[in-house]
Amino acid sequence: MSFHPPLSRHRRAVMLSAVAGAAGLALGPGFTRPALAQAATPAAPFAAGNAATYRFQLGDITATVVSDGLIGGPPAIYASDAGELELGEALRQAFLPTDHLTLNLNVLLLEMGGRRILLEAGAGQTMGPHGGRIFANLAALGLRPEDIDVIVISHTHPDHVGNLRAADGGKAFPRATVFAPRADWDFFVQNEPDLSYMPVPEDFRRRFGAAIKRSVEPYAASIERYDAGDEIVPGLTTLIAAGHTPGMATFLVHSGDAQLLLTADLAYHPVVNIDNAWIPGPDRDKETAQASRERIFDRAAAERMLVLGFHYPFPGLGRMLKLDHAYAWVPAYWQF
Ligand SMILES: [Zn+2]
């Protein structure tokens, strides 16, 4: 699965894709698609015919993980305080490539209270060529974009809002009411954000900011701003999880005794941010993000909650086990 670039031209492409992975950008005209695709793609990412949706029941709520595809980048981006040798060893022990960490895009469809709700919109093509599959995967469930009533975004990074804009510049989900956290809307959309905390070149930061504004623009006039902690509809509550961005929320879905906790981007991949507690490089306020991570992981572990990670290996469901000085990710068993 690992991609070992034999030529310096390819090394340069890998470096560029590293930056693209961090910055969440479709690269500009100076970078050719074939080189990018080759560098960003560890072998063929999709095996034809495998399921890209996963349905399960939460009390009265029918929940379905609907994949929007894959993004990713150099592992060090997602484990900013890891030593190079330690990180390589952890990845090898998990039978993962050491030069590229694949991240999933696990959008959750909830059918509850007569509404169809998406938690996150997905990346579309804003973070490389392997996102944007949600439309085909909704179609496989017999659903069209106009069947979606509500979309709730945890934070406004491009991989969470990229699908909102249709190719013609209009609303990709024409009937949906879109909810976004107020603090993120103020920071990324209403203002010119200072993104100097991101470990990427200035040019990429600029385009990162532009990708957000461009993606949400069709909904700018109708956006519903929420404060982390608000209930969106009965059975769907947002939880304060700031740090990664100013307004990031995580989600709690509940019906009767059944609960599901979504961790948004508190962690990118269980191997580097749960089993090993390395700090994601894109966290804006790393101390606050760390406090959010511990508070929410502690709750998930104490209440033995079912957890869904937006970027965890598909379908992204499992539980948090609290160990003496760390957590362990325990994937849920597949339900037929
Ligand atoms: Zn993300």
Side-chain angles (χ1 to χ4, degrees):
M1 285 297 284
S2 62
F3 173 70
H4 297 289
L7 301 171
S8 61
R9 180 173 66 83
H10 289 143
R11 287 206 184 89
R12 168 117 179 102
V14 167
M15 285 170 59
L16 290 169
S17 79
V19 171
L25 300 174
L27 293 184
F31 310 108
T32 59
R33 269 289 174 207
L36 212 211
Q38 190 177 17
T41 309
F46 295 103
N50 281 340
T53 63
Y54 182 78
R55 182 164 278 170
F56 58 105
Q57 202 69 27
L58 278 168
D60 295 334
I61 301 169
T62 300
T64 311
V65 181
V66 184
S67 177
D68 188 46
L70 304 174
I71 58 171
I77 300 239
Y78 310 108
S80 62
D81 56 336
E84 194 181 337
L85 292 176
E86 269 182 308
L87 177 56
E89 189 52 30
L91 293 167
R92 269 189 294 276
Q93 281 186 12
F95 301 96
L96 289 171
T98 55
D99 58 352
H100 184 94
L101 191 62
T102 294
L103 305 183
N104 279 255
L105 300 163
N106 299 319
V107 174
L108 188 66
L109 167 69
L110 300 172
E111 295 172 85
M112 58 192 293
R115 296 185 184 92
R116 290 195 185 89
I117 300 173
L118 291 183
L119 299 186
E120 317 287 16
Q125 303 284 305
T126 60
M127 288 188 102
H130 301 301
R133 294 176 175 248
I134 194 171
F135 300 102
N137 291 329
L138 285 171
L141 299 171
L143 295 175
R144 301 158 303 167
E146 52 267 43
D147 294 324
I148 303 302
D149 301 297
V150 174
I151 302 174
V152 191
I153 307 294
S154 69
H155 65 295
T156 60
H157 277 174
D159 53 317
H160 297 252
V161 299
N163 280 319
L164 291 175
R165 184 188 186 96
D168 66 2
K171 294 180 175 182
F173 299 90
R175 289 185 47 257
T177 302
V178 178
F179 289 78
R182 184 185 312 279
D184 268 26
W185 195 265
D186 290 347
F187 182 78
F188 289 106
V189 182
Q190 301 284 75
N191 289 293
E192 290 308 317
D194 176 4
L195 301 177
S196 58
Y197 65 92
M198 300 189 76
V200 293
E202 164 60 25
D203 180 46
F204 284 93
R205 287 182 210 139
R206 194 163 38 76
R207 284 191 268 154
F208 180 92
I212 293 170
K213 287 186 164 78
R214 185 177 154 77
S215 296
V216 303
E217 191 271 332
Y219 293 88
S222 61
I223 196 79
E224 291 283 345
R225 275 161 272 207
Y226 69 87
D227 293 305
D230 288 352
E231 180 181 72
I232 302 294
V233 296
L236 170 57
T237 301
T238 64
L239 305 175
I240 295 169
H244 182 63
T245 63
M248 190 174 88
T250 56
F251 303 122
L252 185 64
V253 183
H254 51 98
S255 172
D257 292 338
Q259 293 193 98
L260 172 69
L261 178 81
L262 290 89
T263 54
D265 283 15
L266 287 177
Y268 279 108
H269 193 291
V271 169
V272 300
N273 307 125
I274 301 176
D275 298 341
N276 295 280
W278 288 314
I279 306 285
D283 283 358
R284 176 169 176 264
D285 176 343
K286 291 186 168 51
E287 264 179 42
T288 305
Q290 182 62 17
S292 293
R293 201 156 26 243
E294 285 176 12
R295 187 179 68 253
I296 289 171
F297 286 7
D298 275 351
R299 178 173 175 184
E303 298 184 30
R304 302 176 64 85
M305 294 167 117
L306 184 63
V307 170
L308 172 64
F310 182 66
H311 291 302
Y312 306 171
F314 179 84
L317 290 162
R319 288 178 178 80
M320 302 275 179
L321 187 64
K322 182 102 189 243
L323 306 175
D324 284 347
H325 301 289
Y327 304 94
W329 175 248
V330 184
Y333 293 103
W334 190 273
Q335 293 175 18
F336 289 96

